[in-house]
């Protein structure tokens, strides 16, 4: 098998057909025939609709654009031509939650033209897969549409059902944050929300997830409800400073608008629709791009025992970093993240974005010396680049910083964009910010650097094209359990993340807190304090449940010493051949099994919300006829996230694919299992 070459079974261009006055309709179905998209003109407007198994999923929904300084391109349209194509090819991801991805789809391209004097043209391309669909606009080069400013993308999603939607809000145009807690409600009361937006239809036969793919030179998409109990959502784009959403010139292509479809929520992951709608890798040799686990000088800052800034409590000192490097080397970690190593943190670092230097270390941090020290121990420093949203300041230093890191043999960066407003009042997610992030990924690729981005633009599958774009935050991670309001993240949080945020791509959640009462913070503990609201076993299970190719063991090294549960963090894989969701309900619980990439080894992670649960799990995912040793890390007697999170029961059992072990999850608990070959 030659896994890296795409296996093209069939790419078939079927027909390009001019459209007669009568035929103002076209249809395209998924390869399995279950999903059908129809596209047509109604009262001069171009609309699309989606049906699955003969049931309506999306009712006729309008397509088009409102421009600044030019008439809207939506009305008095006529269909001019259609073209069809089909594809069936399988590609291998250099790393991921699944190795092989089959891109099998039918494509329909629909051309339309305005009937008026301007005669402007656009095309919409639909690709229909068995697991959903994507569509994007193409604005061809033409006399009456050259340079343009989009005021609004008029795309609608008229959902056929008042489905239960799982969402985080986005109703503060310039202050959109992804780091919020999820809510769920009927779709008809949704106001303004972020994607991926997961919706469970009331017939219990359809789950739909709206998101986007291949976001390159355009703002990030949100979804706005229309109020008045409407089930229709509209694309809402993050604005530039002057309110314009996107500027460009023809020929121009928008990102894909995607609707992932499944019968049940358990079928949503692994979610690969977005990968299929991104171009293949532009990095020829991906050998250097390696998933890894890491530790770091990080949690101490969030507990307030270290500072990023210089002074007596400075965390990023040479001595302290050596201690972390030694710990990483002893325990088989690939990387050591060090935050607060570079000049710029003193004072109000969120406001002083232009003070950050990405090359100049603090005097008590010996960057070259530490890079060499780490290398000698088989570990790598992960360089931290907090930009505080200072895009221009960062861009000015990209080449000098990346060439410095490269010269020191450092090939991974964790970056951050904590400020809400980026680049002089453009939205944090504007076209300007999207361009910036693309530029950073491409520059990093040029220098052979992997990226883990905090406060990012949401993931639209760019890791297919740029596999050095590894992980990102873009959601409410563990850090909120150190300092967040509302006592941190509620016990249900990660059971929602799995079926929402994680569908877009990996998340650097930073699991692995063992000191669950945060004694190391020195703060007196009360149940209302922010702290991880999980048991210890659940912290372990999160390594399997929440996929990331860069997974942190987030606690202080001293909190792992002498802890038997630490063995699981050392053993767990970060790169997978396959992923199977065995059971789950959004907001309640989920059980996930994954097979280690290239190895006869499986892991299982099960997590629950505040409810205790007993789940019998058939191990039918294991290959038949082989014996495995199951190393089980379960909640111990009387474990409970509220007042007794630490009891951990570690046991071993020999199992086969016919075994059906019973998992017992404590309130806020979990189970983590490693399956290794018995022989
Ligand atoms: C927020 C990030 O999520 C966190 O990981 C980091 O430590 C701080 N910003 C400082 O950059
Ligand atoms: Ca953050």
């Amino acid at each position: 098998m030659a896994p890296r070459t795409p296996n093209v079974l069939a790419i078939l261009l079927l027909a390009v057909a001019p459209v007669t006055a009568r035929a103002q309709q076209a249809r395209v179905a998924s390869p399995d025939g279950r999903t059908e998209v129809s596209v047509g003109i109604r009262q001069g407007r171009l609309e699309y609709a989606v049906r699955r198994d003969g049931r309506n999923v999306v009712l006729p929904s309008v397509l088009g654009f409102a421009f600044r300084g030019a008439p809207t391109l939506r009305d008095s349209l006529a269909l001019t031509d259609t073209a069809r194509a089909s594809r069936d090819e399988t590609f291998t991801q250099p790393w991921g939650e699944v190795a092989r991805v089959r891109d099998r789809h039918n494509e329909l391209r629909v051309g339309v033209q305005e009937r008026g004097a301007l005669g402007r043209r656009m095309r919409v391309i639909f690709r229909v897969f068995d697991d959903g669909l994507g569509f994007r606009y193409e604005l061809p080069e033409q006399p009456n549409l050259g340079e343009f400013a989009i005021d609004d993308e008029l795309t609608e999603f008229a959902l056929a059902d008042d489905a239960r939607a799982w969402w985080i809000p986005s109703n503060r145009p310039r202050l959109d944050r992804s780091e919020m807690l999820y809510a769920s409600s009927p779709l008809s009361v949704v106001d303004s929300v972020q994607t991926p937006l997961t919706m469970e239809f009331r017939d219990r036969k359809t789950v739909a997830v709206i998101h986007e793919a291949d976001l390159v030179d355009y703002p990030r998409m949100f979804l706005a409800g229309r109020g008045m109990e409407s089930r229709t959502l509209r694309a809402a784009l993050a604005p530039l400073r002057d309110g314009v959403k996107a500027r460009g010139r023809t020929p121009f292509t928008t990102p894909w608008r995607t609707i992932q479809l499944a019968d049940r929520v358990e079928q949503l992951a692994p979610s690969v629709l977005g990968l299929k709608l991104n171009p293949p890798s532009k990095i020829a040799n991906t050998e250097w791009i390696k998933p890894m686990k890491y530790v770091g000088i990080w949690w101490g800052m969030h507990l307030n025992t270290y500072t990023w800034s210089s002074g007596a409590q400075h965390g990023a000192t040479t001595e302290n970093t050596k201690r972390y490097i030694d710990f990483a080397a002893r325990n088989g970690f690939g990387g050591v993240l060090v935050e607060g190593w570079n000049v710029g943190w003193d004072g109000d670092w969120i406001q002083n974005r232009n003070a950050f230097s990405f090359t100049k270390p603090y005097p008590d941090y010996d960057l070259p010396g530490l890079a060499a020290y780490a290398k000698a121990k088989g570990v790598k420093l992960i360089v931290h680049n907090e930009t505080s949203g200072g895009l221009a300041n960062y861009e000015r230093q990209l080449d000098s910083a990346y060439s410095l890191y490269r010269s020191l043999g450092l090939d991974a960066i964790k970056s951050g964009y904590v400020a809400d407003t980026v680049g002089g009042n453009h939205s944090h997610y504007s076209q300007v910010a999207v361009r910036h992030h693309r530029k950073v990924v491409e520059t990093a690729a040029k220098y052979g650097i992997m990226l883990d981005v905090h406060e990012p633009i949401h993931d639209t599958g760019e890791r297919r094209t740029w596999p050095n774009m590894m992980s990102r935050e873009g959601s409410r991670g563990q850090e909120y359990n150190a300092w967040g309001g509302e006592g941190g993240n509620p016990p249900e949080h990660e059971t929602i993340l799995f079926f929402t945020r994680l569908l877009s791509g990996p998340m650097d959640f930073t699991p692995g807190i063992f000191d669950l009462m945060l004694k190391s913070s020195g703060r007196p503990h009360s149940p209302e304090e922010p702290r991880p609201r999980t048991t210890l076993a659940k912290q372990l299970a999160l390594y399997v449940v929440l996929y990331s190719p860069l997974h942190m063991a987030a606690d202080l090294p001293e909190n792992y010493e002498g802890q038997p549960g630490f063995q699981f963090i050392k053993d767990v894989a970060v790169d997978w051949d396959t992923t199977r969701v065995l059971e789950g309900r959004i907001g309640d619980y989920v059980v996930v099994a994954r097979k280690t990439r290239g190895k006869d080894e499986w892991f299982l992670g099960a997590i629950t919300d505040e409810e205790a649960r007993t789940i019998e799990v058939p191990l039918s995912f294991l290959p038949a006829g082989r014996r495995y040793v199951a190393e089980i890390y379960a909640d111990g007697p009387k474990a409970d996230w509220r007042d007794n999170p630490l009891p951990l029961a570690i046991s071993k059992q020999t199992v086969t694919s016919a075994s059906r072990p019973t998992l017992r999850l404590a309130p806020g608990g979990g189970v983590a299992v490693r399956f290794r070959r018995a022989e």
Side-chain angles (χ1 to χ4, degrees):
M1 200 168 47
R4 296 248 154 103
T5 35
N7 163 25
V8 182
L9 293 179
I11 300 179
L12 199 63
L13 201 64
L14 290 178
V16 180
V19 172
T20 64
R22 277 179 298 115
Q24 290 288 303
Q25 274 271 347
R27 283 169 204 281
V28 56
S30 57
D32 67 2
R34 294 184 62 192
T35 303
E36 189 187 62
V37 177
S38 51
V39 193
I41 300 286
R42 201 171 56 157
Q43 295 173 338
R45 292 182 172 187
L46 179 64
E47 296 181 338
Y48 75 98
V50 182
R51 287 164 71 80
R52 187 168 146 88
D53 297 334
R55 288 187 297 270
N56 289 325
V57 176
V58 181
L59 299 171
S61 299
V62 167
L63 299 163
F65 294 98
F67 295 107
R68 184 162 296 189
T72 292
L73 180 56
R74 178 192 52 193
D75 307 313
S76 38
L77 301 174
L79 227 75
T80 53
D81 58 278
T82 59
R84 289 169 186 280
S86 293
R87 175 182 289 249
D88 187 352
E89 71 173 52
T90 299
F91 57 88
T92 301
Q93 284 294 93
W95 51 265
E97 69 277 55
V98 59
R100 306 269 289 161
V101 178
R102 184 176 181 189
D103 170 5
R104 186 164 74 118
H105 69 255
N106 294 323
E107 180 180 289
L108 170 69
R109 304 166 78 88
V110 177
V112 294
Q113 184 163 27
E114 273 177 324
R115 290 186 197 277
L118 285 176
R120 291 171 302 175
R121 289 178 293 115
M122 71 174 175
R123 265 195 297 274
V124 187
I125 298 112
F126 291 87
R127 285 192 185 165
V128 191
F129 307 78
D130 292 348
D131 59 344
L133 61 123
F135 60 90
R136 79 182 336 168
Y137 298 89
E138 265 179 22
L139 298 172
E141 201 172 350
Q142 52 193 295
N144 289 327
L145 188 52
E147 254 173 59
F148 59 80
I150 293 174
D151 252 341
D152 263 314
E153 186 187 308
L154 302 174
T155 308
E156 287 186 346
F157 304 86
L159 276 301
D161 186 69
D162 195 10
R164 173 145 298 267
W166 295 86
W167 49 267
I168 46 179
S170 137
N171 47 12
R172 298 176 298 163
R174 294 190 193 281
L175 296 171
D176 300 311
R177 297 280 290 168
S178 304
E179 300 177 5
M180 283 180 284
L181 292 176
Y182 278 79
S184 81
S185 74
L187 184 63
S188 53
V189 302
V190 159
D191 172 16
S192 183
V193 296
Q194 308 193 21
T195 73
L197 176 69
T198 302
M199 293 166 290
E200 299 178 274
F201 281 40
R202 287 169 303 173
D203 64 8
R204 295 178 172 279
K205 291 180 177 143
T206 313
V207 183
V209 183
I210 301 180
H211 189 45
E212 62 179 316
D214 197 20
L215 173 59
V216 179
D217 185 12
Y218 204 70
R220 172 182 167 175
M221 180 178 75
F222 298 93
L223 296 170
R226 290 210 317 201
M228 314 279 288
E229 307 264 301
S230 163
R231 298 169 191 172
T232 298
L233 301 168
R234 196 174 42 73
L237 305 177
L240 296 167
R241 188 176 10 226
D242 59 1
V244 164
K245 307 303 187 327
R247 286 202 158 77
R249 81 169 357 267
T250 57
F252 188 85
T253 310
T254 70
W256 297 93
R257 278 64 190 93
T258 61
I259 309 177
Q260 192 186 343
L261 294 169
D263 303 337
R264 301 190 320 273
V265 295
E266 295 96 310
Q267 295 165 345
L268 290 175
S271 172
V272 293
L273 184 64
L275 293 179
K276 294 186 285 195
L277 289 167
N278 272 267
S281 176
K282 297 206 172 154
I283 302 178
N285 173 12
T286 56
E287 290 296 306
W288 57 275
I289 304 175
K290 292 202 181 77
M292 64 173 160
K293 286 170 284 185
Y294 69 100
V295 293
I297 299 182
W298 179 76
W299 189 237
M301 277 81 108
H302 293 271
L303 294 181
N304 262 323
T305 57
Y306 289 153
T307 57
W308 282 281
S309 52
S310 59
Q313 276 175 275
H314 189 209
T317 65
T318 301
E319 277 324 296
N320 202 25
T321 306
K322 281 190 178 160
R323 186 167 72 87
Y324 273 75
I325 292 170
D326 295 345
F327 178 81
R330 246 192 346 267
N331 293 291
F333 287 89
V336 176
L337 165 72
V338 184
E339 298 201 359
W341 67 275
N342 59 319
V343 167
W345 292 92
D346 296 308
D348 183 347
W349 55 269
I350 295 185
Q351 292 307 317
N352 298 342
R353 51 180 65 111
N354 294 327
F356 277 117
S357 163
F358 300 101
T359 50
K360 196 163 177 235
Y362 276 120
D364 56 350
Y365 187 78
D366 174 11
L367 177 66
L370 286 165
Y373 184 84
K375 188 172 178 203
K377 301 221 157 187
V379 176
K380 279 193 177 145
L381 291 177
I382 299 175
V383 186
H384 186 233
N385 286 176
E386 174 57 64
T387 68
S388 283
L391 305 191
N393 182 47
Y394 194 38
E395 286 188 20
R396 269 195 300 276
Q397 299 184 53
L398 277 185
D399 280 301
S400 52
Y402 289 9
S403 53
L404 169 68
Y405 308 155
R406 198 188 157 113
S407 73
L408 297 172
L410 308 180
D411 62 2
I413 291 176
K414 171 182 168 182
S415 61
Y417 295 82
V418 286
D420 270 325
T421 310
V422 174
N425 290 325
H426 297 297
S427 151
H428 192 91
Y429 304 117
S430 67
Q431 184 181 25
V432 166
V434 169
R435 280 187 188 147
H436 166 82
H437 284 273
R438 234 343 127 128
K439 179 173 180 169
V440 171
V441 178
E442 293 183 17
T443 310
K446 194 171 90 189
Y447 286 99
I449 288 173
M450 299 177 264
L451 289 174
D452 171 12
V453 184
H454 280 229
E455 301 82 34
I457 304 287
H458 63 186
D459 196 330
T460 65
E462 26 302 73
R463 63 190 159 125
R464 167 121 190 250
T465 314
W466 298 105
N468 64 317
M469 179 61 242
M470 303 201 74
S471 200
R472 67 185 91 200
E473 189 189 37
S475 203
R476 208 172 141 114
Q478 183 97 276
E479 61 188 22
Y480 280 79
N481 296 329
W483 42 257
E486 306 119 22
N489 299 326
E492 66 171 8
H493 183 57
E494 300 86 358
T495 71
I496 304 174
L497 283 185
F498 181 83
F499 294 105
T500 53
R501 158 67 182 82
L502 270 288
L503 299 177
S504 67
M507 178 180 174
D508 185 30
F509 179 85
T510 67
I513 298 304
F514 277 23
D515 169 25
L516 287 160
M517 293 301 188
L518 305 190
K519 289 192 180 137
S520 321
S521 71
R523 292 195 296 250
H525 163 72
S526 85
E528 285 71 44
E529 279 295 301
R531 64 180 167 98
R533 291 165 154 182
T534 77
T535 65
L536 183 50
K538 182 167 171 180
Q539 288 290 321
L540 299 179
L542 290 176
Y543 285 90
V544 184
V545 172
L546 299 178
Y547 172 63
S548 182
L550 302 173
H551 248 326
M552 186 175 201
D555 212 335
L556 310 175
E558 49 270 37
N559 290 333
Y560 293 127
E561 299 292 357
Q563 292 287 338
F566 188 48
Q567 188 60 42
F568 184 82
I569 301 182
K570 294 205 268 183
D571 290 341
V572 69
V574 279
D575 194 16
W576 311 99
D577 274 329
T578 33
T579 288
R580 306 253 174 86
V581 183
L582 306 180
E583 255 192 71
R585 264 200 320 264
I586 311 181
D588 294 339
Y589 73 104
V590 62
V591 187
V592 187
R594 304 191 196 261
K595 179 186 173 294
T596 306
R597 179 82 58 117
K599 204 169 160 190
D600 190 0
E601 176 189 62
W602 288 75
F603 287 85
L604 179 147
I607 58 170
T608 179
D609 60 3
E610 66 289 343
E611 302 272 328
R613 276 171 224 280
T614 303
I615 311 168
E616 196 186 83
V617 182
L619 302 184
S620 50
F621 56 85
L622 294 173
R626 291 185 196 166
R627 291 179 336 118
Y628 290 82
V629 177
E631 299 167 356
I632 305 168
Y633 299 74
D635 289 317
K638 298 214 167 65
D640 189 318
W641 74 269
R642 269 170 299 240
D643 47 19
N644 194 27
L646 300 180
L648 185 68
I650 305 178
S651 62
K652 281 198 178 96
Q653 252 178 53
T654 303
V655 297
T656 68
S657 62
S659 310
R660 304 174 66 92
T662 299
L663 311 178
R664 285 177 221 287
L665 285 65
V671 180
V673 189
R674 174 188 183 209
F675 300 94
R676 58 171 171 81
R677 279 299 289 277
E679 288 75 47

